[in-house]
Amino acid sequence: MAIEKITMPQLGESVTEGTISRWLVKVGDTVNKYDPLAEVMTDKVNAEIPSSFSGKITELVAEDGDTLAVGEIICYIETEGGAAGGGGTSKQEAPANAASTNEEATAPTTNDEDQPNKRRYSPAVLRLAQENNIDLEQVSGTGAGGRITRKDILKVIESGNIPTADSKPATSVTEEKPAAVSSQPAASVSAPATAQAPKAAAPVNVPVEAGDIEIPVTGVRKAIAANMLRSKHEAPHAWTMIEVDATNLVDYRNSVKNEFKQKEGFNLTFFAFFVKAVAQALKEYPQINSMWAGDKIVQKKDINISIAVATDDALYVPVIRNADEKTIKGIAREITELAAKVRSGKLTSAEMQGGTFTVNNTGSFGSVQSMGIINYPQAAILQVESIVKRPVVMDNGMIAVRDMVNLCMSLDHRVLDGLVCGRFLARVKEIIEKMSRENTSIY
């Protein structure tokens, strides 16, 4: 017999943590290898954690709603056989490891660089701390990077020695101030983490009156909020817009859409044409297809277009890979399939990784002008607005009714400047305005 541990997997290339939304097993249950153990929410996707072993569940370390860093233990499984395989660790080893982790965590308690996750509190930790008036600054964490776990809080409560803000030594106040300042540039993880503690108390300041509805914030919503906040805080956003005459495109698409639907079985949307035009322009202006990496800018070779797909309570960004190599039909098919997967909950984390530029179809719900938040760590996002009929003064001085669309672009000013973005948008405009049956193939 051996006790194996199951840890929080990395469900995406930039995912650092996940929230247990629902356990699918309980202590005492027997599971087979690859059976789903729990549903997990991240900022990128909802997914199930499969079991790496066959055996019996002996302990659930995390509870519903707990947020854990990648690599933290979520449960233990008792397996038949000898040595652990594939990263398993016997439970006999676990306490020793926990003890050594605890020693490492308590030694540099005042060093934020050694404890980057010290102030990353899960909802369960915050709830217990508030209910028991525990000052989290005085609690040593045994989790990864010094993170305080639910077990750490329970241990403090069981000991009866509750560290409160009033019981903090006077010297710690003077020591804490420089530590808080230094933690901001020390690591990108610690900066947003320090803001999590006051977020939990924010609802107290909002008066709730009769008839008001309090809606709990889900893990996905929290993750979206954290990512949007990070993008706005780290990337200096600039915004630009261009007006495009899409009359020829509208006439072309409307003339073939019914035949296309009958032949292919899915819709030929305007969005597919815009994604194709953006992919072509990105190939000509590769600077736009870049990412900020601290001391360097990474210009990506592949053109992988992230498309924003909304559900009633969340936003997902699946990726069309190598969009510049695909036909308009191929792009339309992928848009249809990816949107269907999002709305049916079948989208995988792999289908949301690797995006280099985002195109958002804000026009689908009637928007004519918007300012998107950049999909971090990409350098820009393009909003395709509604196509509307407007009177336009033509080159000959005559007024004509034309199908016009605004393309709105948010850009990271660390990576991009107005000149290259202006040229990029002008090229997208040129491609769209020249789209017609004569010079644009759908296949």
Side-chain angles (χ1 to χ4, degrees), residues 258-324:
N258 292 333
E259 179 187 346
F260 182 90
K261 176 68 180 290
Q262 186 175 8
K263 181 180 178 181
E264 303 297 341
F266 56 91
N267 291 324
L268 178 63
T269 63
F270 288 117
F271 192 49
F273 290 89
F274 285 101
V275 171
K276 178 62 178 177
V278 168
Q280 183 178 333
L282 283 172
K283 198 166 186 176
E284 298 174 25
Y285 291 90
Q287 305 97 311
I288 308 293
N289 202 47
S290 300
M291 297 182 182
W292 180 262
D295 59 345
K296 59 188 173 184
I297 294 172
V298 179
Q299 194 173 105
K300 305 299 287 184
K301 177 179 70 73
D302 293 336
I303 296 175
N304 299 332
I305 303 293
S306 302
I307 59 171
V309 180
T311 62
D312 290 338
D313 57 356
L315 179 69
Y316 298 90
V317 278
V319 176
I320 299 175
R321 298 185 181 281
N322 303 115
D324 57 312

Side-chain angles (χ1 to χ4, degrees), residues 78-138:
E78 182 181 65
T79 63
E80 293 185 5
T89 303
S90 68
K91 184 119 184 203
Q92 287 78 8
E93 295 173 2
N97 292 339
S100 63
T101 307
N102 189 29
E103 290 172 8
E104 293 170 4
T106 53
T109 53
T110 59
N111 191 337
D112 285 342
E113 292 184 358
D114 292 339
Q115 294 184 306
N117 296 334
K118 165 71 174 176
R119 295 182 180 87
R120 301 193 71 178
Y121 310 127
S122 72
V125 166
L126 286 172
R127 184 176 65 251
L128 286 171
Q130 290 170 353
E131 290 173 355
N132 295 276
N133 194 28
I134 297 173
D135 180 13
L136 293 173
E137 290 292 333
Q138 300 184 58

Side-chain angles (χ1 to χ4, degrees), residues 134 139 155-164 167:
I134 297 173
V139 178
K155 186 180 293 185
V156 169
I157 295 171
E158 290 171 4
S159 71
N161 185 18
I162 305 295
T164 63
S167 66

Side-chain angles (χ1 to χ4, degrees), residues 392-398:
V392 176
V393 179
M394 307 300 289
D395 291 339
N396 58 7
M398 301 295 288

Side-chain angles (χ1 to χ4, degrees), residues 8 17-20 61-69 72 117-130 136 146-153 193 196-197 199-200 219 222:
M8 177 65 71
E17 62 185 16
T19 300
I20 303 287
V61 177
E63 292 188 347
D64 290 355
D66 281 1
T67 301
L68 296 94
E72 285 196 62
N117 296 334
K118 165 71 174 176
R119 295 182 180 87
R120 301 193 71 178
Y121 310 127
S122 72
V125 166
L126 286 172
R127 184 176 65 251
L128 286 171
Q130 290 170 353
L136 293 173
R147 188 170 188 176
I148 298 172
T149 66
R150 182 174 173 273
K151 283 193 171 184
D152 295 329
I153 300 298
Q196 289 186 14
K199 281 181 188 174
K222 288 178 182 177

